[in-house]
Amino acid sequence: MVLSLTPLKTLLSSRQSTESESSVQKHADATSVPDVPALDGKKKGAHHDSDGESSVREVAEAAELDPELNPGGLSFEEDTAGGMGRHLGVFSCTLLIVGRIIGTGIFSTPSSILGSVGSVGASLMLWVLGFVLSACGLFIWLEFGTMFPRSGGEKVYLEAVYKKPKYLSTYVFAANGILVGLTASGCIVFASNILEAAGHEATRWNTRGIAVGTICFSVLLHGLTPRLGVYVMNGLSVFKVVILVFVVVTGWVVLSGKTHIQDPHANFRNAFAGSSNSSNDYATAMFKVLFSYIGWSNVNYVLNNVKDPIRTLKIAGPLGLCICAALYLLANISYFAVATKEEIVNSGVTVASLFFRKVFGPQAQKALTVFVALSALGNVVTVTFALSRINQELAKEGLPLPFGNKFWASNWPTGKSPFPGLILHMIPSIIIMIAPPPDVAYPFILDVQGYPIQVINLFVVIGLFWLRYHKPQATRPFRVWLSVAFFFLAATVFLLVAPFIRPANGVGDTPPLPYYLYCLVGIGVLAFGALYWVAWRLVPRWLGYEVVQRKEALSDGTYVTVNDYKKIQ
């Protein structure tokens, strides 16, 4: 898969742009679609822009003046039309990041990370390094997000840079976003913890049944009652912060030596003893750490719903990530203060349950499983909210999907929420829940999800350098230091290469599967996107058809690109 870094020299001439806008306006009038919201979310003609609204307008006008900066086929106003409009403020956006980051990771993966790297010191260093890398990525995404304040995240940034071959980057990103952007792992953790709390054995099928019910609940919540969905999402995010604060405070008490835990400082003496010497072990563990930090870009996916998106993104992004990083590091210290290395490695997927059992006893452990389950539920609800917007943006761009992309791009049936996009997210998640065995599926899913994300990150950061060189005068409300971008680039390359190096134990952490299999599966997912592009963009041309694109306004105010295939005369 090769993406050309050469931009499309001319997307639209100024005359074509004017004619296209005129055509869209006539169509909108003919179908009685309400006025497209202006850049500040109000009707056109409104006055007295705030500073934030002026910044958004400045960025949008820059894209209009230089069509090469306009990602995709829709203008800014067309892309942001429809739905509930801008209703998420700084508080909700910060919780959107916190709720996305804090989920199954901090409760479920410290044991496998410790098992991979072999020592407490190395494990803690990876959590710190994960924060540093995430912060570097956040600053890169802040530059892109403030340049292109639209929903879609990496989809938008790839489209803004890799314009040739046309839409190849969109299809490749779509394969990862739809097929691998899953909430299966969170649903499985929720199901297993609820069953444990209820005193029932977590069998293969009752775990699957509850997991499927969890994703269905989240889809119905956001699809049919969108405002209630935001309130539930925020409430669960606050609840997760409270639980982690409780874990941290408990760890401090244990470290003070005033509890029955014997020698709570044992793991911190000679903390690097037993560290692995395999770069593969560190790369695989780093994927899990970074997966636990995934979510710092969550607001970038829903910017069409964010009030004053540029200002809000610059505040909510760093604030949300810093809150999570502090809680993560302190929670790990609490775990290591309570249990030995051997106990943590053998604890299974919920090391937090071990923590509460050792500190408060079996009854507290059962109560903690409920808390962990609710945390996992909050993550599912938050992830579903954001990824459904990505699916909608992909459909709006004309991605060929069953039943036509107009349905998947719509806000049916409420006119406020992308219910079809939610369904598109739900289907592959359910397949992953039902198909493989849970004990192997959970760690393997984490690895598979991590690898293609790093591939996409690689092309995004390369795109940043390309835009800096070719578009130095472009409006950038936020500029990341290039040294930060270079560090992120180097780390991403390492994370892409190291997993192919044979691990010390020769088998990796997902036996009996080969240690390199998750990398190949991740690459295969992206390759499938490229093949999908060939099938829908090149094959018709070989058969004598051309792809003719047109814009159409849906009844809910959403604008969508529609592809028509016409015989070449």
Side-chain angles (χ1 to χ4, degrees):
M1 179 188 67
V2 178
L3 294 178
S4 170
L5 293 179
T6 305
L8 187 61
K9 295 299 182 183
T10 306
L11 287 177
L12 294 171
S13 67
S14 58
R15 178 180 178 184
Q16 288 172 323
S17 298
T18 303
E19 291 174 352
S20 175
E21 292 170 3
S22 175
S23 175
V24 169
Q25 184 61 47
K26 290 179 180 178
H27 186 87
D29 293 339
T31 53
S32 300
V33 176
D35 290 340
V36 179
L39 301 177
D40 56 356
K42 300 176 183 178
K43 297 262 184 169
K44 291 182 179 180
H47 301 286
H48 311 297
D49 289 346
S50 67
D51 292 339
E53 292 164 348
S54 298
S55 298
V56 176
R57 187 177 297 279
E58 181 182 359
V59 169
E61 289 177 349
E64 292 177 0
L65 293 174
D66 185 356
E68 290 185 356
L69 283 175
N70 188 60
L74 299 176
S75 69
F76 181 85
E77 290 195 0
E78 290 165 350
D79 188 56
T80 55
M84 292 177 64
R86 303 193 182 280
H87 62 283
L88 300 176
V90 172
F91 179 75
S92 291
C93 287
T94 302
L95 291 180
L96 189 65
I97 292 174
V98 171
R100 173 63 180 93
I101 294 178
I102 301 175
T104 62
I106 189 59
F107 300 112
S108 306
T109 60
S111 57
S112 62
I113 292 170
L114 179 60
S116 293
V117 299
S119 72
V120 169
S123 178
L124 290 175
M125 289 301 296
L126 282 185
W127 285 99
V128 174
L129 180 59
F131 164 64
V132 173
L133 287 175
S134 298
C136 293
L138 171 67
F139 293 139
I140 294 170
W141 265 246
L142 280 178
E143 176 165 329
F144 271 115
T146 53
M147 282 185 72
F148 309 105
R150 305 181 178 195
S151 293
E154 294 86 2
K155 166 198 169 291
V156 176
Y157 316 145
L158 293 172
E159 289 174 346
V161 177
Y162 304 102
K163 295 182 179 293
K164 285 185 177 181
K166 190 174 183 181
Y167 290 118
L168 175 58
S169 64
T170 305
Y171 282 64
V172 172
F173 175 79
N176 178 70
I178 296 175
L179 300 179
V180 186
L182 311 171
T183 51
S185 57
C187 294
I188 291 171
V189 171
F190 173 80
S192 60
N193 278 273
I194 283 295
L195 287 169
E196 183 180 348
H200 293 286
E201 181 184 0
T203 66
R204 180 171 181 174
W205 289 108
N206 63 8
T207 300
R208 284 169 163 79
I210 295 176
V212 170
T214 303
I215 185 66
C216 291
F217 163 78
S218 181
V219 166
L220 293 174
L221 176 69
H222 286 307
L224 302 182
T225 57
R227 290 199 179 276
L228 177 62
V230 173
Y231 295 144
V232 171
M233 187 168 61
N234 288 350
L236 288 172
S237 297
V238 171
F239 174 79
K240 287 190 282 189
V241 171
V242 172
I243 293 302
L244 276 182
V245 168
F246 183 74
V247 170
V248 170
V249 172
T250 301
W252 289 345
V253 175
V254 171
L255 286 170
S256 71
K258 297 180 180 180
T259 67
H260 65 279
I261 301 297
Q262 299 296 320
D263 195 6
H265 301 90
N267 280 330
F268 304 104
R269 301 190 192 99
N270 198 13
F272 289 91
S275 297
S276 171
N277 296 319
S278 169
S279 58
N280 177 281
D281 290 340
Y282 286 96
T284 301
M286 196 70 228
F287 275 125
K288 294 188 173 96
V289 171
L290 291 177
F291 184 78
S292 297
Y293 276 111
I294 282 180
W296 45 262
S297 60
N298 215 29
V299 177
N300 294 65
Y301 301 137
V302 300
L303 284 175
N304 289 353
N305 300 127
V306 175
K307 302 175 184 176
D308 195 354
I310 292 177
R311 172 183 175 273
T312 300
L313 183 61
K314 290 194 286 187
I315 296 174
L319 179 59
L321 178 59
C322 288
I323 289 173
C324 295
L327 292 174
Y328 273 15
L329 186 61
L330 295 174
N332 271 277
I333 292 174
S334 297
Y335 296 152
F336 295 137
V338 168
T340 65
K341 285 172 52 176
E342 293 73 19
E343 288 174 327
I344 293 175
V345 169
N346 298 321
S347 64
V349 295
T350 51
V351 64
S353 295
L354 170 68
F355 173 85
F356 269 74
R357 178 174 63 81
K358 294 204 65 174
V359 175
F360 300 109
Q363 293 302 317
Q365 180 187 15
K366 183 173 291 189
L368 188 275
T369 57
V370 178
F371 299 154
V372 174
L374 291 176
S375 179
L377 175 62
N379 185 260
V380 171
V381 171
T382 304
V383 172
T384 303
F385 176 84
L387 294 188
S388 65
R389 269 67 183 174
I390 296 178
N391 292 340
Q392 183 184 40
E393 291 302 313
L394 289 168
K396 286 164 63 176
E397 206 60 58
L399 182 73
L401 293 167
F403 311 112
N405 66 300
K406 288 193 293 184
F407 169 72
W408 303 105
S410 71
N411 292 297
W412 177 86
T414 63
K416 298 179 180 180
S417 178
F419 189 52
L422 290 160
I423 296 174
L424 188 59
H425 167 72
M426 178 181 69
I427 293 172
S429 295
I430 291 178
I431 293 174
I432 292 297
M433 292 177 207
I434 294 176
D439 53 343
V440 176
Y442 181 71
F444 187 71
I445 288 171
L446 292 183
D447 292 340
V448 170
Q449 287 179 314
Y451 197 83
I453 289 174
Q454 296 304 322
V455 176
I456 292 172
N457 289 350
L458 175 67
F459 282 102
V460 170
V461 69
I462 290 174
L464 177 84
F465 294 123
W466 191 94
L467 281 178
R468 284 287 189 93
Y469 181 78
H470 290 276
K471 300 291 181 181
Q473 304 303 321
T475 302
R476 292 178 173 86
F478 180 91
R479 295 176 67 93
V480 62
W481 289 341
L482 289 181
S483 58
V484 171
F486 274 115
F487 177 70
F488 186 80
L489 176 63
T492 301
V493 171
F494 169 77
L495 290 172
L496 291 174
V497 174
F500 287 99
I501 301 174
R502 186 179 180 85
N505 63 5
V507 295
D509 65 346
T510 57
L513 302 177
Y515 64 89
Y516 52 82
L517 181 62
Y518 74 89
C519 304
L520 298 180
V521 172
I523 294 172
V525 169
L526 300 178
F528 174 80
L531 292 175
Y532 199 69
W533 174 82
V534 170
W536 287 96
R537 304 291 300 190
L538 294 187
V539 171
R541 189 183 307 170
W542 298 338
L543 297 177
Y545 290 85
E546 63 176 340
V547 182
V548 179
Q549 292 187 320
R550 59 184 173 85
K551 301 175 185 179
E552 185 172 328
L554 305 181
S555 60
D556 59 19
T558 302
Y559 280 79
V560 60
T561 299
V562 179
N563 294 324
D564 295 325
Y565 294 86
K566 296 184 178 181
K567 191 72 175 178
I568 299 176
Q569 300 298 326

